[in-house]
Amino acid sequence: METLQTISEHIAGRIGSFSQGPSVYAYGVVQSCADGIVQIDGLRGIRYGELLSFEGGAFGMALELSSARVGAVLLSDDESITAGNIVRGTGHIADVAVGNALLGRVVDPIGRPIDGKPLKTGEFRPIECPAPAIMDRAGVKEPLQTGILSIDSMIPIGKGQRELIIGDRQTGKTTIALSAMRNQSRQGVVCIYCAIGQKASTVARLVHTLEEDGSMANCIVVSATASNGAAMQYIAPYAACSIGESFMLQGRDVLVIYDDLSKHAASYRAMSLLLHRPPGREAYPGDVFYLHSRLLERAAKLSPELGGGSMTALPIVETMAGDISAYIPTNVISITDGQIYLEGEYFNAGVRPAVNVGLSVSRVGRSAQPAAIRQVSGNLRLELAQYREMAVFAQFGSDIDAATREQLARGERLTELLKQDQNTIFSLGEQTALLLAFNKGVFSRALPKEIGSARKDLLALLHSRYSHVLRSIDNSGELKEADSASLERAFGAFSQSRAKE
C-alpha cells in the first residue's frame, strides 16, 4: 500500500507541475510549405535573416519570428520539402560572395555564377549592413558623367549620390543606366547592374551589349530574373549593394543600378502577404518605406579617413500612365537626391532621351558638375522648359510675335541638339564644345532636321584638327581661355565651310 501511495503522489506531483509551454530544441520541423513560404515549428534561438538548411539540401531564410513558429522564405526550389522535414539553422546571416573575382561575371543574389564559368572567391559579406554614419561621409562634389548631353548639362550626378530614374514602361530608363555604365567603366569605376524580375533574355542582351563595347571587364551583373522566386528578387538589390560596398571600402568608386525597385516592392509584398503580415496601402506592408530607405542610404561618398571611396546609386522605378504620385514612386523620390523623369509623350515624339526637365531635378546641383559644363550650360534648363511650355500654347494660335518666334526656333534647335542615339556617348570635351557652339549661334542657320548632321560634322572637324583642345578639357575639367579661343576659331571655320555648301 505504501508503494502504491508513493506512486500516486509522484504522478499527482508531475501532473500538478505540468505546464504547456513551448519546447526548446536545436532543430525545427516543417509544418507546411506552399508558394515558397515554409512554416516551421521549433528553432526558438534563430535570428532574423539567418540562413536555414532543410533536409534534402534546400536553403531558406528566416523572415518571420513569432512565439508560435518561424516563417521562412525559400532560396531554392521547394520540391524536396514536405511536412515533417527537419530544419536546422546555419548560424550565420545571409551573405554574398564579394571581391575582384566577380568583375566581368554574372551571378545570382547569393553569389553563385550563372554565366557557365567557374567562380572562386574566399570573401563574403552580409547582404544587410548598416549605412555609413553621417560623420563617415564626405560631400558629393565629384562628377559622375553619364555621357548623355541632356543629363550631364542639366541634371548633373555626383559620386555618392542617389539619383532616381523614373518613367513609364519602354521610355528608355535602362538605356540611360546602360550609357552611364559604359561611360564610367572606361574611367575605372566598378559598375554593378542588378536585374530584379527582368526577363532572362533582357539580361542576356544587356550583358552582350557590355561585352561588345568592352565594358564588361569592369562590370558585375547580379540577376534575379522573373523565373526566380520572390525571395531571390527580394535579396537581389541588397546583395548587389554589399558587393559594391566591398569595393567602396577599398577606396574605389562604384556605380550600382537597381532595375527596378517597383518589382522589388511587389516581390516583398507577395512574401509579406504569404507570411500573413497585415497589409496597408495598395496591400503593401507597413515597412515598405524602410525596405528601400535602408538600401539606398548605403550609397555614400566616404570621408578621406575611410579611404574616400564612393557608391552611387541609380534606382529605377516604373510608373503607370505617368503617375509619379503613386505609393512606391513617392516613397523612393523622398529617399533619393533627385530624379530623372522620362516622359512617354516625348519618347513617342522622337525626343530621346525623353527627359522632362520640368519634373527632373538633381538636389546636389551644380556642385557636382565640371567647371567646363557649368560655364557653358548657363540657363539651358530654364530655356528648354520655357520652350516646351510655349510650344504647347503656340500650336493653338497663329499670332506669334517675332521674339516668341525666335525663342521657339532656338528651343527647337536645342531639342534637336540634345537628341542622342543610345549607342552615342559624348566625352566632357565634346559636350562642352557642342554647348559652346550652340551659345555662339553656330547652329542658328541650320534647319532643325539638319542639326544632327551638323553636330556630327562639327565633332569630326574638332577631332581632326582640334583634338588637343578636347583632351585639355577632358583632363582638366575646365574651359580655359586658350581652349575657348581655339574652339571659337573652329566654329568660324565650320560656319564658313557650311556656308559654301
Side-chain angles (χ1 to χ4, degrees), residues 175-239:
T175 302
I176 287 177
L178 183 59
S179 296
M181 287 179 67
R182 291 167 56 203
N183 192 45
Q184 287 301 310
S185 64
R186 297 171 184 172
Q187 301 175 27
V189 175
V190 176
C191 300
I192 302 171
Y193 178 82
C194 178
I196 309 165
Q198 304 290 324
K199 292 184 293 185
S201 59
T202 303
V203 179
R205 189 161 56 247
L206 181 135
V207 172
H208 179 68
T209 302
L210 290 173
E211 287 176 341
E212 277 195 331
D213 189 60
S215 306
M216 191 62 194
N218 222 24
C219 297
I220 302 168
V221 176
V222 179
S223 176
T225 59
S227 61
N228 293 119
M232 292 291 272
Q233 295 181 35
Y234 161 67
I235 67 172
Y238 300 105

Side-chain angles (χ1 to χ4, degrees), residues 89-106:
T90 59
H92 67 273
I93 304 298
D95 54 14
V96 63
V98 299
N100 292 324
L102 291 176
L103 290 172
R105 303 301 303 275
V106 184

Side-chain angles (χ1 to χ4, degrees), residues 77-101:
D77 57 50
D78 57 355
E79 295 176 0
S80 62
I81 300 174
T82 57
N85 284 166
I86 300 300
V87 190
R88 288 183 171 83
T90 59
H92 67 273
I93 304 298
D95 54 14
V96 63
V98 299
N100 292 324

Side-chain angles (χ1 to χ4, degrees), residues 1 107 175 252 317 399 470-471 491:
M1 288 295 291
V107 297
T175 302
R252 300 185 66 175
V317 166
D399 254 353
L470 299 180
R471 281 197 303 271
F491 299 155

Side-chain angles (χ1 to χ4, degrees), residues 401-416:
D401 59 83
T404 304
R405 194 177 295 112
E406 184 182 345
Q407 190 170 0
L408 286 171
R410 181 176 168 85
E412 192 175 0
R413 285 167 175 77
L414 177 58
T415 301
E416 291 295 326

Side-chain angles (χ1 to χ4, degrees), residues 11-33:
I11 292 174
R14 290 292 300 275
I15 293 173
S17 63
F18 175 76
S19 62
Q20 195 171 357
S23 302
V24 180
Y25 41 92
Y27 62 90
V29 179
V30 173
Q31 297 299 306
S32 65
C33 176

